[in-house]
Amino acid sequence: MGHEVTLVWRDGREATIEVANGESVIDATEREGLGVPFGCLYGACGTCTGRLIEGDLVHVERPRGLKPSHRNEGYVLLCVAEPRSDCRVEVGATVQADLVPNPWK
């Protein structure tokens, strides 16, 4: 038995998936074919960055792609995160863009 994770995109879409115990959120999104971006799958690149809106997600490996201040602000790396309760998580490429300043603006 796992937990329900509701994924929220900034364009207003939402999808709720079941994430099994011991399964990462990104593995569950891939199983469901939801197209959430990811890269390295071991917490280093930050491509799968999400923002926890509510619930409890834990990193099962060190999220090297996030600074401690980002983790304190609720950002999570979905490739190394497993839910410990039902959750709502903001997802999509624009979430990671929040963390990386664009020097060309």
Side-chain angles (χ1 to χ4, degrees):
M1 177 117 186
H3 297 284
E4 286 190 347
V5 175
T6 300
L7 307 170
V8 180
W9 284 265
R10 289 182 176 169
D11 64 5
R13 290 181 296 142
E14 290 191 11
T16 300
I17 58 173
E18 182 77 19
V19 181
N21 289 336
E23 183 179 38
S24 72
V25 175
I26 209 71
D27 284 345
T29 66
E30 280 297 291
R31 178 174 31 78
E32 297 296 324
L34 292 172
V36 174
F38 65 92
C40 70
L41 295 177
Y42 58 90
C45 73
T47 303
C48 64
T49 300
R51 189 177 61 82
L52 184 63
I53 299 169
E54 63 184 55
D56 185 21
L57 277 177
V58 298
H59 289 116
V60 294
E61 294 183 35
R62 189 166 67 95
R64 291 172 278 177
L66 289 178
K67 296 177 180 176
S69 62
H70 295 151
R71 292 195 304 267
N72 290 339
E73 294 169 1
Y75 291 95
V76 293
L77 295 183
L78 300 175
C79 69
V80 293
E82 295 177 4
R84 296 297 185 253
S85 70
D86 292 349
C87 299
R88 289 179 62 81
V89 181
E90 186 177 45
V91 297
T94 55
V95 176
Q96 183 195 22
D98 290 348
L99 307 180
V100 182
N102 182 344
W104 308 109
K105 283 186 176 179

